[in-house]
Amino acid sequence: MQKNAIITGASRGIGRAIALELAQQNIRVILIARNANELAELQKQIEQEGGQADFYALDISQATQVKQTVDRILEKHAQVNYLINNAGVGSFQDFEAFDETEWDRIMDINVKGTFMLTKALIAHMKAQKQGHVVTIASDVSKRTFPQGSVYCASKYAQDALMSALRKEVRSFGVKVSVVYPGMVATYFGGSQPDEPEKALWLKPQDIAQSVSYILNAPAHVVVDELMIHPLVQDY
């Protein structure tokens, strides 16, 4: 039976690369992001290359949107095998420059969004006695840096959420993995992936291949954590 994977933040960067990688493995990818036009373009590319894709444009921090979308997905497809929590945002400035609005924006996407999507699917995975949740966190889930206080806090919270969940659901046959990328050449933080200083950074495809490795581990194996850095990164 063909497997299905939900991927958040799928319209560009790491999420897009994961979608293309999994689609090549005969996995139907269910694309989630806010930009419907970019999702439609990615769906078209995947289908032209022989894969299968659906997409849903929504804000993952909105509980009603998440529940309605997951209900539609489960109504259409018999099962969801994989959830890739990839959507994320960040900004970097002195601690006292952050305000409540920016705190809410970062926490709502990085932490609440991960929580809402996972919560909407975990009962389904437990009932089918299998499933795999992979969250793309950050190496700053394990370290901190100046001007990154709120972003680091969100990634520490995301990591803790998944670590506790892993222990809670493993007896149901559900796996939970976290990937911690270092510097990746993407659009993150409003930058461009082709900026000269990013030439030797990780590429989105590197993270996609890491996710593929995790999902293709034998049934008795769970990769709890995978840290990946470019060789040039000093951390």
Side-chain angles (χ1 to χ4, degrees):
M1 179 182 295
Q2 185 179 48
K3 294 184 176 181
N4 301 306
I6 294 176
I7 305 165
T8 70
S11 59
R12 55 170 59 185
I14 291 172
R16 186 177 189 279
I18 293 171
L20 291 168
E21 177 74 22
L22 298 187
Q24 292 174 1
Q25 300 178 31
N26 196 35
I27 296 171
R28 179 189 287 106
V29 290
I30 302 167
L31 314 169
I32 289 178
R34 285 178 288 188
N35 191 311
N37 291 333
E38 290 181 347
L39 290 176
E41 290 173 4
L42 178 56
Q43 179 192 41
K44 181 179 179 180
Q45 178 180 345
I46 289 170
E47 292 177 344
Q48 287 175 339
E49 295 174 359
Q52 296 186 51
D54 300 332
F55 76 86
Y56 299 87
L58 72 145
D59 180 348
I60 64 168
S61 70
Q62 300 300 311
T64 300
Q65 291 185 38
V66 170
K67 184 180 185 307
Q68 290 175 345
T69 300
V70 171
D71 286 347
R72 289 171 61 193
I73 291 169
L74 293 177
E75 183 178 349
K76 183 175 181 180
H77 304 295
Q79 63 180 10
V80 171
N81 307 90
Y82 309 123
L83 168 62
I84 315 299
N85 289 308
N86 167 72
V89 297
S91 64
F92 311 100
Q93 55 193 328
D94 289 342
F95 179 80
E96 63 268 27
F98 282 103
D99 58 20
E100 182 182 4
T101 299
E102 190 64 356
W103 169 276
D104 287 344
R105 184 180 78 93
I106 293 172
M107 290 295 179
D108 280 355
I109 297 295
N110 296 358
V111 185
K112 184 181 175 183
T114 296
F115 166 70
M116 294 304 305
L117 259 296
T118 306
K119 182 177 185 294
L121 282 163
I122 205 68
H124 169 75
M125 290 183 173
K126 287 166 66 176
Q128 67 188 13
K129 301 294 184 182
Q130 64 90 19
H132 203 149
V133 178
V134 179
T135 296
I136 311 301
S138 169
D139 65 343
V140 303
S141 302
K142 305 291 189 180
R143 65 180 180 89
T144 58
F145 62 94
Q147 288 80 48
S149 55
V150 178
Y151 180 67
C152 291
S154 75
K155 289 298 176 177
Y156 267 74
Q158 192 180 48
D159 185 33
L161 185 70
M162 292 295 107
S163 180
L165 179 64
R166 181 184 304 120
K167 297 176 180 179
E168 185 175 329
V169 299
R170 63 184 179 180
S171 63
F172 294 90
V174 179
K175 301 179 182 182
V176 177
S177 303
V178 181
V179 179
Y180 309 96
M183 299 185 302
V184 185
T186 68
Y187 296 92
F188 187 76
S191 63
Q192 296 297 314
D194 57 354
E195 293 174 0
E197 63 269 25
K198 297 183 179 182
L200 296 178
W201 289 19
L202 298 173
K203 303 298 185 287
Q205 292 81 2
D206 298 322
I207 310 306
Q209 290 169 6
S210 298
V211 171
S212 177
Y213 166 77
I214 290 169
L215 296 183
N216 285 295
H220 69 287
V221 173
V222 57
V223 179
D224 296 343
E225 302 180 339
L226 194 156
M227 183 83 72
I228 176 171
H229 287 107
L231 190 60
V232 298
Q233 182 175 351
D234 183 15
Y235 54 91

